[in-house]
Amino acid sequence: MTNKNEWNEWKGLTEAEAAERRVRYGPNALPVPKHRLLGLIARQFRGIFNLMLLIAAGVTFSLGEPIDGAFILLFVFLGTALNVYQEHKSNQAADKLKAYLLSTITVIRAGTEKEVPTETLVPGDILKLESGDIVPADAIVRVARDLLVDETTFTGESIPVTKRASASSATAADEEEHLLQGIVIVRGNALAEITAIGQETQLAHIATTASTVQAESELVKSVDKISNFIMKVTLLTLGFVVVANILIEGRQADVTGLMIFAIALAVSAIPEALPLVLTFSLSRGALEFAKRDVIVKRLSAVQDLGSVNLLCTDKTGTITENHLVFSASYPTAGSPYDPLVLARLAAINLHERIPEPFDRASDEALTQAQRQIVERYSLAQEEAFDPALRSNGAIVKQADGKTLHIRRGSPEYFFGEGLIPRDAAAEWLQSEEEKGHRVLGVSYDDGTGAHFGGFVSFVDRIKDSTIATVAAAKQMNVAITVITGDALKVAEAVGREAGLVTESAEVTEAANFLTLPLAERKKRLSSIRVFARTTPEQKLELIQLLKEQFTVGYLGEGINDAPALKAAHVSMVVQSAADVARETADIVLLQNDLRVIVEGIRFGRETHANTMKYIRATLISNFGNFYAVAIGSLFISFLPMLPKQLLLLNLLSDFPMMAIAFDRVSAQEVERPQRYDLHSLYIIFVTMGLVSTVFDFICFGLFYRISPAVLQTNWFIASVLTEILLMLSIRSLAPITKAGWPAPSIVILSVIAMALAIGLPMIPATAAFFEFQPPTMAHLGIILGIAVSYLVVTELVKRPLSGFVSKR
């Protein structure tokens, strides 16, 4: 085809040609993840912890302990089911937001205009595009009339750009002749020939790029490290115990019984309630988000958000309102017209089309008197935007026939036309540029020649909540970095007004920064608060660089944000974001408000704090008891605790610990970014675990000579009581008297667990089933004394450890 000036020369494809191409190219649809529900289920077993629990359950069943095996499976599948349900419902909610592409569009088929579903479009179709249309596929402009488009979702720039008709019949075109799927027609109309549909569009390529960028959850990685540690310690210890018992007892060793004991001991060391505690904690955070109109698609993102110490965000619509407002004018002495009135008259047919940001801002700023002046005029002729001159115009007339020819454009146009000396308004223009304002010049011709009418400036103001939000983020030690496609001066001005930037060295163009040597980039990276003129590829590169030094949360909305969203540790988009961006993100905001994210970081830190309470308590208690029982077995000819008693011990101590997900969190625990400091965790685990082991040996030494049943029963009771008291102590590294009251659910479940630990050995039926011997009152008194002493020593040992952890 060749470029034609007349619309009626374009006949388009016939229906037969369109049908044949539809078979060849497929539907015009973005790629959709297949089997998403199965993927959600598989994700729950991506880490090794649930797999480890499934193996433990299988072994327990093989030992003839169906109740204990079922108990372990209950924890695994309940946690998995809650995770999958939450994420699946969130995805369904996010799917309901999908209204990005128009369902139908006008095409020319066989010389006739017809409305067709966008999914049925094929390469070669001729689109008829008008103001308000969303381009449904990649295309080349063949005929254009005053065509302006909004490419915000690709470029981040909120100012419309001009498109022109291609002078070539080829399917390759330069940027000003090409329309990408997803952009909006702001003004004018056009005929455009489709060049790519479906997965071949630029939009789909960005989606593919996003799908290849993987960011593993910080929560999953940390839990995997803990799981690996548990497995290694458990297997090494049990191997030593089994071999040592065989060497000590020789041929009299009951190898089968010893193996059963070792496996039960291993199962007791595994914190099987961890997945459920995590799910409870994360669901609580997701519920808090939901109250603030936030959809959490990936449940672990709630806790990952707590570890964020750098929040990257676009400028437009997030820091600013994405709404231009009239700021100031520079009138010309002696001119009878206000520059703002002239700017408004240049778009007098404002209400007949989608208004440009400048037009809307001019109209909103008019006083009543100025509006009455504008209403005297009607449009006689509109002059399209000229990209070479960077100006547009209009001829307007009054009822008496008097006409006025207005031109509106960049300051350079009026300097070039000689209507105003370049240095005449240099100081004013420089001041406006430093403020990040956008400036338009206007001129008028009332029949006596062209006269310069002045300048008007506009600003995209920061949101009322931005400054307070930035301050709140600083209090929580969260840095905010703006990554935008806007110009350097505009971005810097916004950064200064928001309180993010104090000196120009904190602002740079992305291209300039990325040309620096790698060592210099890494050195400057943490001090840059604004990256300007950033392309989609540069956004991805910047996020990957930042991830080397920070835990990164990224808030975007455009198609061009998708790869960076996928790469970030936690990705967030707004409701109006493009499909690709929403599909990629972990969190969807129904309100574009940065405050919600900062609040979310606090929720994430609370979730992390409660999860750490459980991990600390269960590792110390489980392994303290684990080592004591394992080593104690070397000194006696019977098992210090039967397998079923070990599993019951785990059950009773875990129920109160699961309630830790709903515990109260102090202000100090959310001041800094939260992460799994495994080194500090191991120090606490070893030190406090040693204290637990010592008290277990005290109990062992007091009762092992009496009888196996007495030792097993009393040690069981003492272990339950000490583990619950440990949880109440270790829930905060502050002294227990200053830690505040735990949540009521923790207190209630703790009392129930203690009562069961003492009561079950006294009930004949349960005592017989678990092979307990009812304890005497004297023995109970000794056990209570051991438990109270253990709490006191734990508090004393905890104090220096809290100082060590706080320094890290």
Side-chain angles (χ1 to χ4, degrees):
M1 290 182 175
T2 58
N3 187 34
K4 301 291 194 300
N5 291 325
E6 298 297 330
W7 288 53
N8 56 13
E9 294 291 335
W10 294 87
K11 305 299 183 183
L13 303 174
T14 65
E15 288 297 340
E17 288 173 327
E20 185 274 328
R21 296 190 185 193
R22 200 172 303 122
V23 173
R24 188 195 320 170
Y25 295 105
N28 177 38
L30 294 176
V32 177
K34 297 181 179 179
H35 312 301
R36 188 160 62 180
L37 182 59
L38 294 177
L40 289 178
I41 296 172
R43 183 194 295 171
Q44 311 309 315
F45 297 93
R46 186 178 297 170
I48 66 169
F49 199 87
N50 275 331
L51 294 176
M52 186 169 65
L53 289 177
L54 289 178
I55 293 171
V59 172
T60 306
F61 277 117
S62 69
L63 297 178
E65 298 290 345
I67 295 177
D68 302 317
F71 172 67
I72 297 173
L73 287 180
L74 176 65
F75 275 152
V76 174
F77 289 111
L78 186 56
T80 301
L82 287 173
N83 269 312
V84 170
Y85 175 78
Q86 171 69 31
E87 295 190 23
H88 182 61
K89 293 295 288 183
S90 295
N91 280 330
Q92 285 185 325
D95 289 342
K96 291 178 182 177
L97 299 175
K98 288 184 177 179
Y100 189 70
L101 296 178
L102 288 177
S103 57
T104 61
I105 196 75
T106 303
V107 299
I108 299 176
R109 294 260 175 92
T112 303
E113 294 182 11
K114 63 182 304 183
E115 198 83 3
V116 301
T118 56
E119 287 193 357
T120 66
L121 296 173
V122 295
D125 261 331
I126 302 298
L127 299 170
K128 183 181 179 182
L129 300 170
E130 299 177 340
S131 177
D133 285 344
I134 298 175
V135 180
D138 288 358
I140 290 179
V141 180
R142 294 306 186 191
V143 179
R145 294 178 179 170
D146 192 19
L147 187 60
L148 275 182
V149 302
D150 181 353
E151 295 183 327
T152 303
T153 52
F154 278 95
T155 65
E157 290 276 9
S158 59
I159 304 304
V161 296
T162 303
K163 296 291 181 178
R164 64 169 184 262
S166 175
S168 169
S169 62
T171 55
D174 63 29
E175 188 175 336
E176 292 184 352
E177 301 167 349
H178 206 181
L179 300 175
L180 297 178
Q181 180 185 21
I183 69 174
V184 181
I185 307 299
V186 173
R187 189 175 72 190
N189 45 34
L191 294 182
E193 181 183 356
I194 293 179
T195 58
I197 64 169
Q199 300 189 31
E200 298 303 316
T201 64
Q202 185 66 29
L203 174 62
H205 288 163
I206 293 175
T208 302
T209 302
S211 67
T212 60
V213 180
Q214 297 295 330
E216 188 177 0
S217 165
E218 290 296 297
L219 175 61
V220 171
K221 289 192 292 185
S222 300
V223 171
D224 278 355
K225 288 179 182 178
I226 294 171
S227 303
N228 281 318
F229 172 75
I230 292 172
M231 279 205 309
K232 290 176 183 178
V233 172
T234 302
L235 293 176
L236 285 173
T237 303
L238 290 179
F240 169 76
V241 169
V242 171
V243 172
N245 269 283
I246 292 174
L247 291 176
I248 292 172
E249 298 183 17
R251 294 182 179 179
Q252 284 75 38
D254 179 5
V255 178
T256 303
L258 195 57
M259 292 302 295
I260 293 174
F261 168 73
I263 292 170
L265 195 57
V267 172
S268 72
I270 297 171
E272 68 273 4
L274 179 57
L276 204 56
V277 170
L278 285 174
T279 301
F280 284 156
S281 297
L282 298 175
S283 297
R284 178 172 174 256
L287 183 61
E288 291 295 329
F289 270 114
K291 293 177 182 177
R292 289 160 175 78
D293 291 334
V294 178
I295 298 172
V296 179
K297 292 176 58 185
R298 176 173 63 84
L299 203 55
S300 59
V302 173
Q303 185 162 331
D304 285 344
L305 197 56
S307 64
V308 166
N309 54 8
L310 177 65
L311 180 58
C312 297
T313 177
D314 195 2
K315 172 186 71 67
T316 306
T318 308
I319 302 294
T320 66
E321 295 178 341
N322 193 21
H323 182 82
L324 288 182
V325 176
F326 170 73
S327 175
S329 63
Y330 181 86
T332 299
S335 172
Y337 303 102
D338 188 288
L340 180 62
V341 171
L342 293 174
R344 175 64 181 83
L345 286 172
I348 195 168
N349 64 336
L350 172 71
H351 303 296
E352 298 177 10
R353 54 179 168 81
I354 297 177
E356 297 178 42
F358 288 121
D359 299 341
R360 184 189 296 111
S362 300
D363 184 66
E364 291 173 349
L366 293 175
T367 65
Q368 187 60 37
Q370 290 171 332
R371 192 172 300 279
Q372 290 174 354
I373 295 173
V374 170
E375 289 173 351
R376 297 174 193 165
Y377 292 87
S378 61
L379 179 66
Q381 180 181 339
E382 188 171 22
E383 299 172 340
F385 183 83
D386 188 329
L389 298 176
R390 298 195 63 77
S391 68
N392 71 301
I395 298 176
V396 297
K397 63 180 180 179
Q398 296 190 58
D400 60 5
K402 181 179 179 181
T403 62
L404 195 63
H405 185 191
I406 302 167
R407 295 294 294 181
R408 182 183 71 176
S410 68
E412 286 72 19
Y413 167 76
F414 300 97
F415 296 145
E417 292 293 307
L419 295 177
I420 179 175
R422 184 171 292 273
D423 59 352
E427 185 177 341
W428 186 87
L429 288 172
Q430 181 179 354
S431 172
E432 293 300 303
E433 183 183 44
E434 289 174 352
K435 296 174 184 175
H437 295 180
R438 302 178 186 272
V439 177
L440 288 179
V442 287
S443 66
Y444 65 95
D445 185 344
D446 55 5
T448 61
H451 305 279
F452 179 64
F455 291 117
V456 285
S457 68
F458 302 87
V459 58
D460 185 5
R461 291 175 178 167
I462 67 170
K463 292 185 174 182
D464 293 338
S465 60
T466 294
I467 295 176
T469 301
V470 170
K474 287 180 179 178
Q475 286 184 340
M476 296 174 63
N477 294 282
V478 177
I480 297 177
T481 294
V482 174
I483 303 179
T484 179
D486 261 344
L488 183 71
K489 287 292 185 181
V490 174
E492 179 178 348
V494 171
R496 287 181 181 275
E497 189 177 0
L500 293 172
V501 175
T502 55
E503 55 186 46
S504 296
E506 296 174 308
V507 183
T508 183
E509 288 191 353
N512 294 338
F513 177 81
L514 293 172
T515 58
L516 296 173
L518 182 60
E520 182 67 16
R521 272 183 275 165
K522 290 185 176 181
K523 181 180 178 181
R524 289 194 59 196
L525 195 61
S526 62
S527 64
I528 302 297
R529 295 277 67 87
V530 177
F531 290 99
R533 290 294 186 200
T534 314
T535 66
E537 295 77 15
Q538 290 168 345
K539 284 186 179 183
L540 175 58
E541 191 172 352
L542 288 172
I543 292 297
Q544 290 173 330
L545 273 173
L546 290 165
K547 283 173 63 180
E548 296 178 9
Q549 297 184 24
F550 303 95
T551 301
V552 179
Y554 183 66
L555 175 61
E557 65 173 326
I559 297 166
N560 60 342
D561 290 320
L565 285 166
K566 190 74 172 182
H569 292 111
V570 183
S571 54
M572 297 153 280
V573 298
V574 294
Q575 175 184 355
S576 58
D579 272 359
V580 175
R582 279 205 305 269
E583 192 69 45
T584 300
D586 301 316
I587 296 172
V588 179
L589 310 181
L590 301 187
Q591 298 178 10
N592 193 355
D593 193 341
L594 204 62
R595 285 182 302 182
V596 177
I597 299 303
V598 175
E599 278 294 294
I601 291 174
R602 182 174 66 81
F603 295 148
R605 292 181 181 181
E606 290 180 357
T607 302
H608 176 90
N610 283 337
T611 304
M612 284 304 299
K613 292 175 185 179
Y614 172 80
I615 291 175
R616 285 197 303 261
T618 193
L619 284 183
I620 293 169
S621 59
N622 282 11
F623 274 91
N625 188 262
F626 170 81
Y627 278 115
V629 174
I631 297 172
S633 68
L634 300 176
F635 299 98
I636 54 179
S637 58
F638 56 89
L639 296 179
M641 203 176 297
L642 299 178
K644 64 177 69 178
Q645 294 169 349
L646 283 170
L647 295 171
L648 178 63
L649 163 63
N650 229 24
L651 170 64
L652 291 181
S653 60
D654 268 335
F655 270 121
M657 286 189 188
M658 282 191 293
I660 209 80
F662 307 100
D663 197 16
R664 300 184 176 102
V665 177
S666 66
Q668 291 78 9
E669 291 176 288
V670 296
E671 283 181 352
R672 295 194 171 274
Q674 300 296 308
R675 56 179 51 85
Y676 288 93
D677 183 356
L678 298 182
H679 182 70
S680 296
L681 183 63
Y682 297 154
I683 295 295
I684 293 173
F685 154 67
V686 171
T687 307
M688 302 293 285
L690 181 61
V691 173
S692 181
T693 301
V694 168
F695 274 87
D696 277 321
F697 274 127
I698 291 173
C699 188
F700 174 80
L702 289 172
F703 299 115
Y704 85 96
R705 289 190 179 90
I706 301 174
S707 73
V710 170
L711 172 63
Q712 292 161 353
T713 302
N714 291 348
W715 203 349
F716 165 82
I717 297 172
S719 296
V720 173
L721 298 184
T722 53
E723 287 191 21
I724 291 174
L725 290 175
L726 170 69
M727 176 199 63
L728 297 174
S729 172
I730 207 69
R731 57 179 285 271
S732 171
L733 292 178
I736 195 170
T737 54
K738 297 180 180 180
W741 276 95
S745 57
I746 296 177
V747 176
I748 293 169
L749 289 177
S750 295
V751 171
I752 292 173
M754 289 181 174
L756 287 174
I758 297 172
L760 288 177
M762 294 182 174
I763 300 171
T766 52
F769 178 80
F770 290 105
E771 300 182 44
F772 289 135
Q773 179 171 319
T776 65
M777 295 305 295
H779 287 171
L780 282 178
I782 293 172
I783 292 169
L784 292 175
I786 291 173
V788 172
S789 302
Y790 174 70
L791 177 62
V792 172
V793 173
T794 297
E795 283 293 306
L796 293 174
V797 174
K798 186 178 71 173
R799 293 186 182 184
L801 288 177
S802 64
F804 168 78
V805 172
S806 63
K807 290 179 182 178
R808 291 184 61 84

